[in-house]
Amino acid sequence: MAFTAKGRATRQRIIEGAAGYLRSDDPGNVTLDDIRAATSTSKSQLFHYFPNGKEELLLAVAQYESDRVLADQQPFLGSLDSWDAWEQWRRVVIGRYRAQGPRCPLAALIGQVSTVPGAADVTASLLRRWQEHLRRGILAMQESGEVGPHVDADRTAAAFVAGTQGGVIVLRSTGDTFHLEAVLDALISHLRGGGPARPAAE
């Protein structure tokens, strides 16, 4: 459905308002009436912008949260061309998930709309874009001679994404960022040329 500029702004306001509300509650317990109250939106207005109801709205919020995952890592994620940038990026990632704690809004939202067409695409697109940023950063470091040519940029970027996601899963179970920090330290050490991975200075 095509919206006017004002309509797009209203729809975005609803998405952002719903996202803020859902970050403080379990999406499985949230009703459209809750979201209407939180966003000061009428029922007719809500269904005008989200005709398929709650699942469509939650899918839009999941896309918004997905975009935030990458936006929160900027500007470092988009310019991983120095060791300082890599260390700053590491701090941002750990800081983000430490602040988030055991609950992952994106995972919770995707779980609620897992059977809706497009839900899997939200996660796949996030991982693809995240990996591409990291791959470009590794290639930039190789071009400057900071990372050896033996490093496979594609596979190492994939390892960063998988390692980060694994660390976040452990964090959700333990509430501790230790494993996330360990995997990022190990992979950055690999980029630097190997050797024992030591915790980076906070």
Side-chain angles (χ1 to χ4, degrees), residues 22 60 98-99 104 115 153:
L22 292 167
R98 183 178 287 152
C104 177
T115 60

Side-chain angles (χ1 to χ4, degrees), residues 85-97:
W86 278 92
E87 293 299 339
Q88 294 282 6
W89 169 75
R90 172 197 174 278
R91 291 190 184 96
V92 165
V93 170
I94 292 170
R96 181 189 196 279
Y97 287 108

Side-chain angles (χ1 to χ4, degrees), residues 32-147:
L32 285 180
D33 285 339
D34 293 330
I35 293 174
R36 286 199 308 105
T39 60
S40 301
T41 305
S42 68
K43 187 173 182 179
S44 61
Q45 191 176 33
L46 195 65
F47 278 95
H48 172 68
Y49 292 108
F50 305 95
N52 293 322
K54 179 179 176 180
E55 287 185 335
E56 183 178 358
L57 173 56
L58 290 184
L59 184 60
V61 175
Q63 181 62 65
Y64 172 75
E65 291 285 6
S66 173
D67 292 339
R68 281 189 57 172
V69 169
L70 299 185
D72 287 350
Q73 298 177 45
Q74 300 295 0
F76 306 110
L77 182 62
S79 56
L80 293 169
D81 54 5
S82 69
W83 291 123
D84 180 64
W86 278 92
E87 293 299 339
Q88 294 282 6
W89 169 75
R90 172 197 174 278
R91 291 190 184 96
V92 165
V93 170
I94 292 170
R96 181 189 196 279
Y97 287 108
R98 183 178 287 152
Q100 175 181 287
R103 186 172 178 276
C104 177
L106 179 59
L109 287 164
I110 290 294
Q112 291 298 315
V113 294
S114 59
T115 60
V116 177
D121 293 338
V122 171
T123 302
S125 174
L126 165 62
L127 297 179
R128 211 165 35 241
R129 289 181 291 152
W130 197 349
Q131 183 172 324
E132 179 59 17
H133 277 298
L134 291 162
R135 186 185 74 86
R136 290 179 181 177
I138 295 167
L139 290 175
M141 295 293 280
Q142 287 179 318
E143 289 176 6
S144 66
E146 295 290 340
V147 171

Side-chain angles (χ1 to χ4, degrees), residues 181-194:
E181 294 176 41
V183 74
L184 292 180
D185 290 338
L187 287 167
I188 291 174
S189 178
H190 169 66
L191 288 182
R192 286 181 176 274

